[in-house]
Amino acid sequence: MKEIKGGVCAAEGFTAGGIRCGIKKGNSQKKDLALIYSLKPCIVSAMFTTNKVQAACIQVSKENISDRKLRAVIVNSGNANACTGDEGLAAAKRMAHLASNVLEVDAKDVAVASTGVIGVPLPIEVIEKNINALKASLRDDETGNADALEAIMTTDTRKKEIAVEIEIDGKAVRIGAMAKGSGMIHPNMATMLCFITTDAAIDAAALEKSLNSAVKHSFNRLTVDGDTSTNDMVLIMANGEAGNKILTESDVDFSTFNKALEYVCIYLTRLMARDGEGATKLVTVTVTGASDDFIAEKLAKSAASSSLVKTACFGADANWGRVLCAMGYAGVDFNAEKTTVNFKSKAGTIKVCQDGKSISFSEEKAKEILSEEEIEICISLEDGRGSAEVWGCDLTYDYVKINGDYRS
Amino acid sequence: MKEIKGGVCAAEGFTAGGIRCGIKKGNSQKKDLALIYSLKPCIVSAMFTTNKVQAACIQVSKENISDRKLRAVIVNSGNANACTGDEGLAAAKRMAHLASNVLEVDAKDVAVASTGVIGVPLPIEVIEKNINALKASLRDDETGNADALEAIMTTDTRKKEIAVEIEIDGKAVRIGAMAKGSGMIHPNMATMLCFITTDAAIDAAALEKSLNSAVKHSFNRLTVDGDTSTNDMVLIMANGEAGNKILTESDVDFSTFNKALEYVCIYLTRLMARDGEGATKLVTVTVTGASDDFIAEKLAKSAASSSLVKTACFGADANWGRVLCAMGYAGVDFNAEKTTVNFKSKAGTIKVCQDGKSISFSEEKAKEILSEEEIEICISLEDGRGSAEVWGCDLTYDYVKINGDYRS
């Protein structure tokens, strides 16, 4: 497997574009409308938010992918089109219709995604006015990918994209992806917007299985602030342009595809954690030696989600007691008296807790380790062979600043 | 019922005291060791943290109240004596023993509580050296209460105490209480330190029932940061000095006692929410019209716990969409399309969402309402008659500041 350029346009037969149509407020010249389009029919699989309050786009997209076929996704930023009632639903349907019209495909073959402020009517008229310009922005190269990526961002400060190439059945197969997301992110669902393209030929069941597994080990192990959005969506389109024999679950090459897709998803997950709203640090929490993977994941998530652990990471304070405390309210059993905690970064590794108790360590060295931009909290138990890796970030002044007056 | 002065010393036969023994770090002259002592034997009831990692004092106190009898509580601040292993357990037992020695009571009749940093050995020798001074500090008046209260505080910026007087069986009965707690507070357990004294004569079963009910409707509906401490404890001692006929669950006066105890607990809960670490505002979330009280509580807690709702409260930003979003991931069913949200404070009331959708409202007026120090988010549903009231606070720069380097 090698990393390649081009994001969602890296896979053969995919185009993307993005423009500014005026949904984002103020004098901003930021793009806010994106389109990803496959020249050929695609098999699709997707995962959506588990929030009971679901944006209109989620309802429309769920329906439109139900036949597992898709050609395009239209995405706006600056407005979530959530809590907008029947008018919002009509607007989301209209978005799909407008895109299908200019692309000359069936409206049922277009998925819709929105991200931004909740409860404000979506100005569908500016989308309508700019739909031809959106189509005209489609490119099959890095430019198209970059334009679309810019148009799906909200409070993101970093671009999140990746593409990889693998070989399946003697053919070069590409997987490309873009994601947005920095706040309102919490495990247990498709937790932001992520659009993945691949030119692999793969059957619908295999694609779904591969996506579910990759999301379970990546986006569902990401936590920024404990809030689960009304709009989140991870969607993969596969158009078969690589020309490989159609991949099924029983093929030996299926695991090659799985690994590549998981690599792509974990890569984007780490970028999102690193770009958590206001975050200065990527915090990885690993648990090993748990009774099973489920318990390991629960313990790691609890530590990564704790506001007290997160603020300690911000302050580079080796307050390991908060880590044990957060594990203690995770709601699962573990042997606290056999818990070891190490803090790790490129500046080194330091053991701060053994057998659930304090051990003497250099506060100075610990501070140095925790002052790095990527830090790891390594928890080891003696309960079994379960393990999990979870990603989060620190909690900072800027998180409060960004969210204290988001709508203005 | 009337409010009276004296805190835990308001009830007949109770004394309290507090001194500085040197557990709190640095050049601080803050008191850090407290004692509450009843001249007569008491019936006791208590609730403890549900965290799987429990401080040594929790283990000792659980054992010592198991016979439902108690005489005293010794409390230190500045060190949680949690994650301190066998030495920590020995230190907690020693604390009880030292207090019982000077008070000339059985060591099993002393409860122990600790609060402060986790994972640092408790310097039991400074407690030993100062135990006589601690006993000498005992007073049966406001001074004794004030000294003890100061000695149990950590990051608290406000003193949390109250006493009330009611009449039962023709006798004046008093309930007094003190509490500490501002960070690491989250519903579903006894969520901080709270010591309650009463001179009511009451049987053990009635006392337990009354405490459980009061805690359910007060401390368990408080959320500051989602972290559940290893050390939390709510404890009530009843010494019968009021001279009323022993109160049982079947007495008509039992509800008088219940109401007074609940009043005391809610009063302290509100003080704790108002004093949440870094908080500038008390945020009360009420849900009415839910299918049942359980669902109402889950929805209210989810909204009150959301980092995004809390930062919006800090910024006085009427971002009601975040309220609906937080309700959506509460994990219970409700009809989002029949949800109405009002923001309320002494500056007025404003409706911001009806039938789950935006309605037009004055942003200026909303900002004015949300700029008050006590604000209320009123959610009404049309699903039934369930209701709940939950207390929390905003999330601010100072929360990050206080917790970014707590140990230093």
Side-chain angles (χ1 to χ4, degrees):
Chain A
M1 183 174 65
K2 61 176 182 188
E3 287 192 27
I4 55 173
K5 292 195 179 294
V8 294
C9 293
E12 280 299 306
F14 283 96
T15 62
I19 58 166
R20 171 166 177 79
C21 72
I23 299 171
K24 276 179 184 159
K25 272 194 196 173
N27 294 321
S28 156
Q29 285 310 309
K30 287 180 183 161
K31 295 189 171 65
D32 50 16
L33 191 62
L35 187 61
I36 301 172
Y37 170 60
S38 170
L39 305 173
K40 294 283 166 65
C42 294
I43 297 294
V44 64
S45 183
M47 296 177 74
F48 299 98
T49 181
T50 55
N51 198 306
K52 299 260 180 201
V53 178
Q54 305 205 331
C57 56
I58 299 291
Q59 300 175 50
V60 171
S61 293
K62 274 185 178 170
E63 191 180 326
N64 288 1
I65 69 153
S66 60
D67 63 357
R68 298 191 171 191
K69 288 176 193 159
L70 204 73
R71 290 296 290 277
V73 193
I74 181 168
V75 193
N76 75 276
S77 59
N79 185 311
N81 194 15
C83 303
T84 44
D86 293 340
E87 298 80 2
L89 194 60
K93 284 181 182 162
R94 181 91 186 125
M95 256 176 96
H97 184 75
L98 289 169
S100 73
N101 236 4
V102 288
L103 297 172
E104 296 174 8
V105 301
D106 193 305
K108 294 277 178 203
D109 286 342
V110 179
V112 182
S114 299
T115 176
V117 66
I118 299 174
V120 174
L122 180 69
I124 187 70
E125 64 286 356
V126 301
I127 297 179
E128 185 151 6
K129 213 164 74 182
N130 289 278
I131 194 72
N132 284 310
L134 182 65
K135 187 200 172 188
S137 75
L138 288 174
R139 301 275 179 283
D140 66 356
D141 58 10
E142 282 182 57
T143 320
N145 175 69
D147 288 347
L149 180 50
E150 188 190 323
I152 69 169
M153 290 164 72
T154 56
T155 53
D156 304 67
T157 65
R158 291 160 183 247
K159 295 188 171 172
K160 301 171 188 84
E161 58 163 310
I162 183 176
V164 299
E165 186 175 297
I166 50 177
E167 194 183 298
I168 287 178
D169 181 31
K171 311 282 186 191
V173 165
R174 284 149 291 254
I175 303 176
M178 63 171 59
K180 70 81 49 181
S182 57
M184 233 188 217
I185 289 180
H186 196 59
N188 279 331
M189 68 300 306
T191 48
M192 61 306 113
L193 300 185
C194 177
F195 305 110
I196 312 169
T197 57
T198 179
D199 46 25
I202 182 167
D203 77 7
L207 188 66
E208 183 175 344
K209 189 168 180 182
S210 188
L211 183 68
N212 286 357
S213 169
V215 169
K216 176 177 178 346
H217 294 103
S218 57
F219 304 123
N220 279 356
R221 290 187 173 176
L222 167 66
T223 178
V224 167
D225 58 10
D227 280 271
T228 303
S229 163
T230 50
N231 287 56
D232 298 333
M233 182 188 301
V234 179
L235 183 145
I236 183 168
M237 297 164 75
N239 68 4
E241 289 292 283
N244 60 298
K245 186 169 68 75
I246 293 175
L247 204 55
T248 66
E249 291 176 52
S250 54
D251 284 332
V252 284
D253 283 334
F254 185 52
S255 76
T256 308
F257 184 83
N258 280 342
K259 275 182 201 152
L261 185 59
E262 186 169 304
Y263 179 86
V264 162
C265 291
I266 288 179
Y267 182 91
L268 293 173
T269 297
R270 289 173 57 95
L271 279 181
M272 274 189 281
R274 181 64 191 80
D275 196 27
E277 280 175 347
T280 67
K281 283 170 195 164
L282 167 65
V283 180
T284 303
V285 180
T286 59
V287 171
T288 55
S291 319
D292 57 40
D293 289 354
F294 173 79
I295 287 178
E297 188 175 331
K298 287 284 244 183
L299 293 169
K301 275 186 184 173
S302 191
S305 305
S306 156
S307 293
L308 290 169
V309 171
K310 287 155 65 80
T311 45
C313 289
F314 173 56
D317 180 16
N319 200 328
W320 60 268
R322 293 181 178 171
V323 175
L324 257 73
C325 175
M327 293 167 67
Y329 61 73
V332 292
D333 275 323
F334 72 104
N335 189 348
E337 288 167 10
K338 290 289 180 189
T339 303
T340 299
V341 180
N342 280 273
F343 292 128
K344 195 166 141 187
S345 74
K346 69 178 186 187
T349 300
I350 196 163
K351 189 184 286 184
V352 290
C353 164
Q354 180 150 31
D355 298 331
K357 287 187 299 185
S358 186
I359 54 166
S360 128
F361 63 89
S362 158
E363 288 279 351
E364 204 179 329
K365 182 67 189 168
K367 192 123 208 150
E368 190 194 334
I369 289 168
L370 293 175
S371 296
E372 291 294 326
E373 286 198 359
E374 298 197 0
I375 61 178
E376 196 174 331
I377 300 174
C378 309
I379 300 161
S380 67
L381 306 172
E382 296 184 14
D383 297 341
R385 310 176 109 198
S387 69
E389 192 168 2
V390 160
W391 299 273
C393 60
D394 54 347
L395 173 60
T396 71
Y397 297 118
D398 280 349
Y399 177 83
V400 178
K401 188 172 177 181
I402 291 167
N403 290 300
D405 201 6
Y406 175 64
R407 297 183 314 148
S408 307
Chain B
M1 182 175 64
K2 62 176 180 186
E3 287 192 26
I4 56 174
K5 291 194 179 295
V8 295
C9 293
E12 280 299 307
F14 283 96
T15 61
I19 59 167
R20 171 167 176 78
C21 72
I23 299 171
K24 275 180 184 160
K25 272 193 194 172
N27 295 320
S28 156
Q29 286 310 307
K30 287 178 183 162
K31 294 188 172 65
D32 50 17
L33 191 62
L35 188 62
I36 301 172
Y37 169 61
S38 170
L39 305 172
K40 295 282 166 64
C42 293
I43 298 294
V44 64
S45 184
M47 296 177 74
F48 299 98
T49 181
T50 55
N51 198 305
K52 299 263 179 198
V53 178
Q54 304 205 332
C57 56
I58 299 292
Q59 300 174 51
V60 171
S61 293
K62 275 185 179 171
E63 190 180 326
N64 288 1
I65 69 152
S66 59
D67 64 357
R68 299 192 168 188
K69 288 176 192 160
L70 205 73
R71 290 295 291 276
V73 193
I74 181 168
V75 192
N76 76 276
S77 58
N79 185 310
N81 194 16
C83 302
T84 45
D86 293 340
E87 299 79 1
L89 194 60
K93 283 182 183 162
R94 182 89 187 127
M95 257 176 94
H97 184 76
L98 289 168
S100 72
N101 236 3
V102 289
L103 296 172
E104 297 174 5
V105 300
D106 193 305
K108 295 276 178 203
D109 286 342
V110 179
V112 182
S114 297
T115 176
V117 67
I118 300 175
V120 174
L122 180 70
I124 186 70
E125 64 286 354
V126 301
I127 297 178
E128 185 151 7
K129 214 164 74 183
N130 289 280
I131 194 72
N132 285 309
L134 181 65
K135 186 198 172 189
S137 75
L138 287 174
R139 301 275 180 282
D140 65 357
D141 57 12
E142 281 181 58
T143 320
N145 175 69
D147 288 348
L149 180 51
E150 187 189 323
I152 70 169
M153 289 163 72
T154 55
T155 53
D156 304 67
T157 64
R158 292 162 183 245
K159 294 188 170 173
K160 302 170 188 83
E161 58 163 310
I162 184 177
V164 299
E165 187 175 295
I166 50 178
E167 195 184 297
I168 288 178
D169 181 31
K171 310 283 185 192
V173 165
R174 284 148 292 253
I175 303 176
M178 63 171 59
K180 70 82 49 182
S182 56
M184 234 189 218
I185 288 180
H186 196 60
N188 279 331
M189 67 300 307
T191 47
M192 61 307 116
L193 300 185
C194 176
F195 306 109
I196 312 168
T197 58
T198 179
D199 45 24
I202 182 166
D203 77 8
L207 188 65
E208 184 176 342
K209 188 167 180 180
S210 188
L211 183 67
N212 287 357
S213 168
V215 168
K216 177 178 178 341
H217 294 104
S218 58
F219 304 123
N220 279 357
R221 290 187 173 175
L222 167 66
T223 178
V224 168
D225 58 9
D227 279 273
T228 304
S229 163
T230 50
N231 288 55
D232 299 332
M233 183 187 302
V234 179
L235 184 145
I236 183 167
M237 297 164 73
N239 68 5
E241 289 292 283
N244 59 299
K245 186 169 68 71
I246 293 176
L247 203 55
T248 65
E249 291 176 53
S250 54
D251 284 332
V252 284
D253 282 335
F254 184 53
S255 76
T256 308
F257 184 83
N258 281 342
K259 276 182 199 152
L261 185 59
E262 186 169 304
Y263 179 87
V264 162
C265 291
I266 288 179
Y267 182 90
L268 294 172
T269 297
R270 290 174 57 96
L271 279 181
M272 275 190 281
R274 181 65 191 80
D275 197 27
E277 280 174 348
T280 67
K281 283 170 196 166
L282 167 65
V283 180
T284 303
V285 180
T286 60
V287 171
T288 54
S291 320
D292 57 41
D293 289 355
F294 172 79
I295 287 177
E297 189 175 331
K298 287 284 244 182
L299 293 170
K301 275 185 184 174
S302 191
S305 305
S306 156
S307 292
L308 290 169
V309 172
K310 287 155 65 80
T311 44
C313 289
F314 174 55
D317 179 16
N319 200 328
W320 60 268
R322 292 180 177 172
V323 175
L324 256 74
C325 176
M327 293 166 68
Y329 61 73
V332 291
D333 274 323
F334 72 103
N335 189 351
E337 287 166 12
K338 290 289 180 189
T339 303
T340 299
V341 180
N342 280 275
F343 291 128
K344 194 166 143 187
S345 75
K346 69 177 185 189
T349 300
I350 195 163
K351 189 184 287 185
V352 290
C353 163
Q354 181 150 29
D355 298 330
K357 287 187 298 184
S358 186
I359 53 165
S360 127
F361 63 88
S362 156
E363 288 279 351
E364 203 179 329
K365 183 66 189 170
K367 192 122 210 151
E368 189 194 334
I369 289 169
L370 293 173
S371 296
E372 291 294 325
E373 287 197 358
E374 298 197 0
I375 61 179
E376 197 173 331
I377 300 173
C378 310
I379 300 160
S380 68
L381 306 173
E382 295 183 15
D383 297 340
R385 310 178 110 198
S387 68
E389 191 167 4
V390 160
W391 299 274
C393 60
D394 54 347
L395 174 59
T396 70
Y397 297 118
D398 281 349
Y399 177 83
V400 178
K401 187 171 178 183
I402 291 167
N403 289 301
D405 201 7
Y406 175 64
R407 297 182 315 148
S408 306

